[in-house]
Amino acid sequence: MARDQEITFYSDEQTLRELDELADDQDTTRSTVVFELVREGLRREREGAVSAETRASERLQDLLDDGLTDMEDTAREIQDLNAKTGVYAVAAFELVKQQHGEAAIREALQTGARRLREDDVDDLASGGDDDQSATAEDDSDQDGSGLDFEALREGNQ
């Protein structure tokens, strides 16, 4: 590599003396010492930039790992909650089954299935839960179109 490009810079007297001493110690010229120092400084700059990018990438990976761990924890909690909900539903069904006949149980299951389907359709149409439509459905169930839950509670059906 030819060193044929001239660079001029200004320095204070102390720095110039230090450059000359370094050149004498290395048995070379001031120009060679300055050239090597500049090359070393440029190399360090490049390494610093690569190191900063590496640290940023590592930090991003750490954040992704933390997010994944949080999602896994949340999924486990939801799974546990769903399992507990299922247990309560089965327990409630077993208790109802002990006090009511097969026809009442079948009707209650049909009503539950219909409500789930209606809620799905209502949710899609309205974009969410609507307390007023839920109240209207509850009232219609007590009018004879479904199971009378008050009667179930009292054991009259």
Side-chain angles (χ1 to χ4, degrees):
M1 163 178 24
R3 291 184 6 198
D4 57 1
Q5 300 297 313
E6 182 178 324
I7 297 177
T8 304
F9 72 95
Y10 297 94
S11 173
D12 60 31
E13 208 170 303
Q14 174 65 33
T15 303
L16 189 58
R17 267 195 307 269
E18 288 176 11
L19 287 172
D20 287 338
E21 287 174 12
L22 194 54
D24 287 343
D25 291 345
Q26 294 180 4
D27 196 27
T28 188
T29 65
R30 179 190 309 158
S31 178
T32 300
V33 168
V34 169
F35 176 75
E36 292 299 326
L37 288 172
V38 168
R39 283 184 69 179
E40 178 64 21
L42 290 173
R43 183 188 64 76
R44 286 183 187 165
E45 273 297 313
R46 283 190 303 272
E47 287 176 356
V50 169
S51 177
E53 287 179 23
T54 301
R55 284 191 305 272
S57 294
E58 289 171 350
R59 180 65 182 135
L60 283 173
Q61 188 60 50
D62 289 345
L63 288 172
L64 288 172
D65 291 344
D66 290 347
L68 180 60
T69 300
D70 290 348
M71 287 179 64
E72 288 170 345
D73 291 346
T74 300
R76 274 191 290 281
E77 290 173 11
I78 289 171
Q79 187 177 19
D80 289 347
L81 182 62
N82 285 340
K84 289 176 184 174
T85 302
V87 167
Y88 286 122
V90 169
F93 181 76
E94 289 298 321
L95 290 171
V96 167
K97 210 167 71 168
Q98 291 173 7
Q99 295 180 358
H100 301 283
E102 190 175 318
I105 293 170
R106 189 175 320 109
E107 185 179 350
L109 289 172
Q110 289 170 348
T111 300
R114 187 188 77 248
R115 279 189 180 182
L116 287 176
R117 286 190 300 272
E118 287 174 358
D119 286 348
D120 289 344
V121 171
D122 290 345
D123 285 348
L124 289 174
S126 69
D129 290 338
D130 187 29
D131 290 338
Q132 292 176 344
S133 67
T135 303
E137 287 177 13
D138 288 344
D139 292 344
S140 70
D141 280 344
Q142 291 186 7
D143 292 18
S145 64
L147 188 61
D148 184 349
F149 286 103
E150 289 298 318
L152 275 176
R153 282 190 202 104
E154 297 171 8
N156 295 333
Q157 190 166 8

